[in-house]
Amino acid sequence: KIFLLIIFFFQLSCGYKIANNIENYKFFITEYQIDGEREINILLEDNFRRFQQNEDLQKAYKLKTDSRIIKTTTSKNAAGDDLTYKIEIFIDVEVTKIDNSKNKISFNEETNYAAAQSKFELKQYEEILTRDLVNQIILKINNYLSTIQ
C-alpha cells in the first residue's frame, strides 16, 4: 500500500500539463479571413474556430492570414534524379485589436527530407510533414495571440 501511495504521489506532482489546451489561452477571435494554400487553411480554420466560443474574454481579435508552401529540391544524384527536398511553410498574420490597432507578424517552419521510392509515398509523406509544420506554427500563433497586450 505504501508503494502505491508513493507512485500515486509522484504522478500527481510531475507537473504534466496539456500544452495546446484552449483553457491556457485567454483571447477570443471575433472573425478571421484566411487566404493562401488550401491544405494549410483547413488547419488554421479549425484552430480559429475553437477560439470563437469564448466571447466573455477581454482580448478580442480579428485575424487575416496568408499562407504559402515552397517545396524545393536540395540535391540530385549524377543521373539527375531528386535525392532530397526542403519544404517551407510561411504564414503571415495581421491581428486587429478592439481599438483597431494592427500588428503584423510572420511565422515560418521548414524541414528537409529524402526522396521516397514512389511518388505516392512521397506525396503522403509531404502531407504529413506539412500538417506537422502547420501545427507547430499554429501553436506559435496561439502563444503570440495570448501574449499581445
Side-chain angles (χ1 to χ4, degrees), residues 3 12 35-36 46 146:
F3 178 72
L12 286 178
D35 295 318
D46 287 344
S146 67

Side-chain angles (χ1 to χ4, degrees), residues 87-123:
I87 186 168
E88 297 174 280
I89 297 180
F90 299 91
I91 300 177
D92 301 321
V93 180
E94 181 180 293
V95 182
T96 306
K97 297 187 225 176
I98 296 174
D99 62 359
N100 286 330
S101 63
K102 293 185 180 184
N103 295 348
K104 291 184 181 182
I105 188 165
S106 296
F107 299 93
N108 69 306
E109 288 288 332
E110 66 181 53
T111 191
N112 294 312
Y113 57 100
Q117 294 294 327
S118 72
K119 298 280 186 190
F120 177 75
E121 288 176 4
L122 181 63
K123 182 70 175 161

Side-chain angles (χ1 to χ4, degrees), residues 11-135:
Q11 283 191 339
L12 286 178
S13 63
C14 73
Y16 173 76
K17 293 182 182 178
I18 299 172
N20 197 14
N21 191 355
I22 194 165
E23 284 83 30
N24 294 342
Y25 300 110
K26 304 296 183 197
F27 63 87
F28 167 65
I29 297 176
T30 58
E31 62 183 77
Y32 56 87
Q33 178 183 343
I34 302 174
D35 295 318
E37 295 289 331
R38 182 182 161 295
E39 55 191 302
I40 295 174
N41 294 347
I42 291 170
L43 296 170
L44 286 173
E45 185 170 5
D46 287 344
N47 178 63
F48 294 158
R49 211 176 302 130
R50 295 182 330 155
F51 293 103
Q52 287 190 312
Q53 300 165 2
N54 262 350
E55 296 183 24
D56 60 334
L57 296 175
Q58 296 281 330
K59 294 181 179 180
Y61 305 121
K62 293 179 185 177
L63 301 179
K64 185 176 184 181
T65 65
D66 186 33
S67 60
R68 61 192 178 282
I69 299 175
I70 299 175
K71 297 176 187 174
T72 55
T73 302
T74 55
S75 68
K76 295 183 178 219
N77 63 13
D81 298 326
D82 297 339
L83 291 177
T84 59
Y85 301 95
K86 179 166 82 170
I87 186 168
E88 297 174 280
I89 297 180
F90 299 91
I91 300 177
D92 301 321
V93 180
E94 181 180 293
V95 182
T96 306
K97 297 187 225 176
I98 296 174
D99 62 359
N100 286 330
S101 63
K102 293 185 180 184
N103 295 348
K104 291 184 181 182
I105 188 165
S106 296
F107 299 93
N108 69 306
E109 288 288 332
E110 66 181 53
T111 191
N112 294 312
Y113 57 100
Q117 294 294 327
S118 72
K119 298 280 186 190
F120 177 75
E121 288 176 4
L122 181 63
K123 182 70 175 161
Q124 294 296 315
Y125 188 58
E126 286 176 345
E127 288 175 6
I128 291 169
L129 287 175
T130 300
R131 191 174 336 112
D132 290 345
L133 293 174
V134 171
N135 284 331

